[in-house]
Amino acid sequence: MKKITRYINLLISNSPALVIFLAMLIVCSFVLSPLHSLLDKLLFDTVQQEYGKALNWSSILFIVFLYFAYNLGVYVIFRAKDFISDYTQIKLNASIQKKVMAKINQITYDKYEDNNFYNYLTAIEREINDGNVLSIFVNTMSLFGALLSIVYLSCIMLSLGIIPMLLSSVCCIPGFIHQATFGKKNWEFNTSKIPLQRKTLYIFSLLSSIDSYKENRMYDTFDHYKKKYSHLFNEYYEELKSFNLKNCWKGIIMATIHSLGTVSVIAYAYFQAANNRITLGDAVLFVGVTQSIYNYIQNVIYYIGNLNETVHSVDNLLSFISDMEDENTSKPVEKQCADVFIELKNVKYAYPNMENNILDGIDLTIHQNEKIAIVGENGCGKTTLAKIILGLYHPKEGTVKLNGVDLNEVKQETRYATVCFQDYFTYSFTVRENVAFGNIEKLYDDNSILNAIKMSQLEFDIFNHDMEKYINKEFDTKGIVLSGGQAQKLSLSRAFLFDKGLIILDEPSASLDVITENEIFESTLALMKDRAAIVITHRLANVINCDTIIYLENGKVCEKGTHDELMKLKGKYYNLFSIQANKYKAKA
């Protein structure tokens, strides 16, 4: 009950007036419903009294008018309830999505390496879309209204006798127990199938995404994906069918038991009428009341079962957004750090569910104005190290300090670095936004945005010198579709817009030609002379002028020094550089 109260309080805090009005409409809809049986009694009693006489048409027409007023009132209430429910759901979804977005902003990037976290997010997304918070409120109020109606109708049933009422009520107990347990089982089943549903959605996205379409077309993999999709869907379908059939037979047995009780009460009512112990209108009333009680008890069973299910499901959502308050345990570091000194001591890191460390005992210092290159073979931990320095990953051992403060104690909103990742992202927004996301405070600073575009050597004329031009055609058919090299330059301009602290370039030239790549590296190092910079690249010709070159191997610093020092050492770096240099000489 405490949980339900908590969820309803969340709803009321979002739209108090709408929620109160919706509650009144729900209760009214249940209160009005039993009136139909009373109108039936009134009509039959009137006709029976006038039987064999001239009908009093005024009385009949009055009853017909009451039917009309009743049906109109019920229609208006139900339409108003649906309208208010839809409007409240829209407002509630927007409010919850804002809370979820705020919470996601507080989540450490490490969690995105954990598959269980994706299942958790999928469950939360489904709970938002299903409208479960509002469902809890609607089901609670509907349960209250149904119970009121049952009490009212039971009082009417008592006039027929205590035995029919008890018979009808007792026959509902098995169904009540079944529905109450089914709700929890249904939630547990759906939750257990989230990984399977994620796989089917992923395969569907591969078939429908423009990013994977060209390879699917060239490699003719569509049939393979369709088979995988069909296999996963059939697996889910068979388990769902088995689950539903098992519960369906139980439901049929419970419904049969209750139907026998209902039929017994109806037969008893007409028997009493046939023996003139009650009027025909009373018999019709009791039949209607019996059926209504049956329906309301079924509704109560459904509402309780649904509440049981939705309360469990919304637990995921509310536990996710509940802990959003800032505990103020962070150390006071300026919001944007112009000067940085970063120190890593014995840093070790392993990905979730992995035993081996991807980084194993890294010691590194990064001084203001220092230019550092991190090189090594694929999988040696270069990008992982960059994410540790950026605070995206948190080491399982060792410390990372920013200006003497442990990075775990620095407020998340503190900005001390910018980055261009190798897996850059292009947003289906305007040119202005795509660049300004690098430093959102400069969203309307045209000079800074143009300067960042110039530094990345992106040709601004491809946008017709219009910052409001959309990238991609997802939301604007006149949008610009960029080539791979242009998209990478756009990502670089985003990184260049933040002109303080540390800049990290993680394979920023993978989609660029050699000449443009060399020009960007040279201009970047020249323009960043007053800033700390880290360059991660496989092309060693670009790092010759760096102050320090770090060669990683198996997550450890294998070699460290200037280009000249490492060449004299004739170790790993020397061998890799020589291989690349010889390839260029051979081509020349």
Side-chain angles (χ1 to χ4, degrees):
M1 192 64 189
K2 289 182 179 179
K3 289 184 177 180
I4 294 176
T5 304
R6 181 185 171 198
Y7 305 144
I8 293 177
N9 286 338
L10 173 64
L11 182 60
I12 292 175
S13 65
N14 182 62
S15 304
L18 287 175
V19 171
I20 293 172
F21 189 36
L22 180 61
M24 293 171 59
L25 290 172
I26 293 172
V27 174
C28 284
S29 67
F30 281 94
V31 171
L32 283 178
S33 187
L35 294 180
H36 193 279
S37 296
L38 293 175
L39 290 175
D40 289 341
K41 169 181 165 53
L42 181 61
L43 177 62
F44 275 88
D45 281 345
T46 300
V47 172
Q48 186 180 26
Q49 289 173 6
E50 301 293 330
Y51 184 74
K53 306 177 185 176
L55 285 175
N56 185 349
W57 286 104
S58 60
S59 298
I60 301 296
L61 289 174
F62 177 70
I63 295 173
V64 170
F65 173 75
L66 291 178
Y67 271 112
F68 170 78
Y70 167 81
N71 288 319
L72 179 61
V74 169
Y75 174 80
V76 169
I77 287 175
F78 273 87
R79 291 296 296 169
K81 185 181 70 172
D82 291 342
F83 174 77
I84 297 298
S85 293
D86 291 343
Y87 189 66
T88 304
Q89 185 65 67
I90 291 171
K91 288 194 65 178
L92 180 64
N93 278 2
S95 175
I96 290 177
Q97 285 170 348
K98 289 177 183 178
K99 292 178 183 294
V100 169
M101 286 188 286
K103 181 61 179 177
I104 287 176
N105 188 45
Q106 299 176 359
I107 291 174
T108 59
Y109 185 74
D110 310 60
K111 289 186 178 293
Y112 284 89
E113 300 292 345
D114 187 350
N115 181 60
N116 291 328
F117 180 69
Y118 279 101
N119 293 337
Y120 187 47
L121 284 184
T122 301
I124 289 168
E125 182 180 358
R126 186 182 68 188
E127 290 164 20
I128 295 174
N129 294 331
D130 288 348
N132 287 336
V133 174
L134 183 61
S135 293
I136 289 174
F137 174 76
V138 171
N139 285 326
T140 301
M141 297 311 303
S142 297
L143 176 61
F144 177 70
L147 290 173
L148 281 180
S149 297
I150 290 172
V151 171
Y152 169 67
L153 293 171
S154 296
C155 292
I156 296 175
M157 180 69 75
L158 273 173
S159 62
L160 184 62
I162 188 68
I163 295 177
M165 190 194 74
L166 290 176
L167 179 63
S168 180
S169 301
V170 168
C171 289
C172 294
I173 293 175
F176 177 85
I177 296 172
H178 167 67
Q179 189 63 38
T181 55
F182 173 75
K184 183 178 180 181
K185 290 180 180 178
N186 189 46
W187 174 79
E188 291 172 346
F189 174 82
N190 288 329
T191 300
S192 68
K193 298 306 162 196
I194 286 177
L196 194 60
Q197 291 171 342
R198 278 186 56 216
K199 289 179 182 178
T200 56
L201 289 173
Y202 173 70
I203 292 174
F204 179 77
S205 71
L206 291 178
L207 292 171
S208 59
S209 170
I210 190 172
D211 296 326
S212 56
Y213 180 85
K214 53 183 180 291
E215 288 198 357
N216 292 335
R217 173 59 63 193
M218 293 303 300
Y219 301 150
D220 195 21
T221 54
F222 286 102
D223 287 341
H224 176 73
Y225 285 137
K226 286 167 64 178
K227 288 177 182 177
K228 286 181 71 69
Y229 181 90
S230 297
H231 173 73
L232 291 170
F233 175 79
N234 290 335
E235 180 183 346
Y236 171 73
Y237 177 76
E238 290 301 321
E239 292 184 26
L240 178 65
K241 183 171 69 173
S242 174
F243 175 79
N244 285 335
L245 281 175
K246 181 179 179 181
N247 286 282
C248 180
W249 283 112
K250 290 181 180 179
I252 290 173
I253 293 171
M254 304 309 168
T256 301
I257 293 172
H258 190 273
S259 296
L260 290 173
T262 301
V263 169
S264 299
V265 174
I266 292 172
Y268 180 77
Y270 280 113
F271 176 78
Q272 293 290 78
N275 287 282
N276 294 321
R277 294 171 184 166
I278 57 175
T279 66
L280 181 60
D282 289 333
V284 171
L285 174 63
F286 289 134
V287 170
V289 166
T290 301
Q291 191 60 46
S292 294
I293 289 177
Y294 171 75
N295 292 335
Y296 282 129
I297 290 178
Q298 288 295 102
N299 286 339
V300 167
I301 294 171
Y302 167 77
Y303 294 139
I304 291 176
N306 204 28
L307 274 172
N308 190 25
E309 180 180 349
T310 51
V311 164
H312 277 90
S313 67
V314 178
D315 272 349
N316 289 325
L317 175 61
L318 291 191
S319 64
F320 182 72
I321 64 176
S322 61
D323 186 25
M324 294 180 56
E325 292 77 16
D326 189 353
E327 297 179 357
N328 280 328
T329 57
S330 302
K331 295 292 178 68
V333 178
E334 53 198 310
K335 188 172 183 181
Q336 290 191 355
C337 298
D339 298 328
V340 296
F341 172 68
I342 300 174
E343 186 178 17
L344 286 75
K345 286 186 177 181
N346 193 34
V347 167
K348 296 181 181 180
Y349 183 80
Y351 288 104
N353 304 316
M354 299 288 289
E355 294 182 2
N356 296 330
N357 291 331
I358 187 67
L359 295 177
D360 194 8
I362 298 292
D363 292 313
L364 175 65
T365 55
I366 305 166
H367 297 85
Q368 184 66 22
N369 307 332
E370 187 177 11
K371 310 298 181 285
I372 297 175
I374 302 175
V375 300
E377 297 181 7
N378 288 335
C380 67
K382 299 187 296 295
T383 298
T384 303
L385 178 56
K387 291 177 179 177
I388 290 282
I389 294 170
L390 290 167
L392 295 175
Y393 288 163
H394 295 76
K396 70 175 187 180
E397 290 185 35
T399 59
V400 181
K401 291 186 178 181
L402 169 64
N403 296 338
V405 179
D406 193 307
L407 209 54
N408 291 324
E409 299 177 357
V410 175
K411 288 186 177 181
Q412 189 167 343
E413 60 267 25
T414 299
R415 185 79 183 276
Y416 62 92
T418 186
V419 62
C420 178
F421 286 116
Q422 55 182 312
D423 51 348
Y424 54 87
F425 196 80
T426 303
Y427 300 89
S428 296
F429 297 132
T430 63
V431 177
R432 177 188 299 280
E433 290 171 298
N434 266 276
V435 178
F437 285 157
N439 189 356
I440 200 64
E441 293 180 359
K442 295 186 177 182
L443 179 61
Y444 299 105
D445 186 343
D446 289 7
N447 290 332
S448 295
I449 292 176
L450 287 171
N451 185 55
I453 291 174
K454 182 179 179 181
M455 289 172 63
S456 71
Q457 299 192 21
L458 177 63
E459 302 83 2
F460 190 52
D461 55 359
I462 65 173
F463 308 117
N464 297 323
H465 299 275
D466 182 7
M467 286 194 187
E468 311 309 323
K469 200 78 171 177
Y470 267 76
I471 305 296
N472 299 331
K473 295 181 179 291
E474 186 172 355
F475 302 116
D476 187 347
T477 56
K478 296 180 180 180
I480 300 294
V481 178
L482 301 179
S483 67
Q486 290 169 335
Q488 189 153 38
K489 289 178 182 179
L490 184 68
S491 178
L492 274 167
S493 65
R494 189 182 303 142
F496 290 150
L497 189 62
F498 185 75
D499 55 3
K500 299 181 180 69
L502 170 69
I503 181 170
I504 297 180
L505 303 180
D506 181 11
E507 295 287 358
S509 55
S511 300
L512 304 179
D513 58 80
V514 176
I515 295 175
T516 304
E517 171 196 33
N518 185 61
E519 290 176 351
I520 287 178
F521 268 97
E522 287 185 354
S523 62
T524 298
L525 292 177
L527 290 167
M528 302 297 160
K529 60 182 179 180
D530 296 325
R531 296 177 59 184
I534 294 177
V535 176
I536 300 173
T537 181
H538 284 95
R539 298 173 183 173
L540 302 187
N542 296 319
V543 304
I544 292 175
N545 296 320
C546 288
D547 300 319
T548 305
I549 300 172
I550 296 172
Y551 192 99
L552 287 184
E553 186 177 58
N554 297 324
K556 297 182 179 181
V557 177
C558 179
E559 296 175 4
K560 180 178 179 181
T562 65
H563 170 74
D564 292 338
E565 290 170 346
L566 294 180
M567 291 301 289
K568 290 178 182 178
L569 188 63
K570 292 190 176 182
K572 303 278 187 181
Y573 177 85
Y574 170 84
N575 291 334
L576 187 57
F577 185 88
S578 298
I579 291 171
Q580 293 185 7
N582 289 333
K583 283 184 178 180
Y584 283 117
K585 289 177 182 179
K587 288 181 180 180

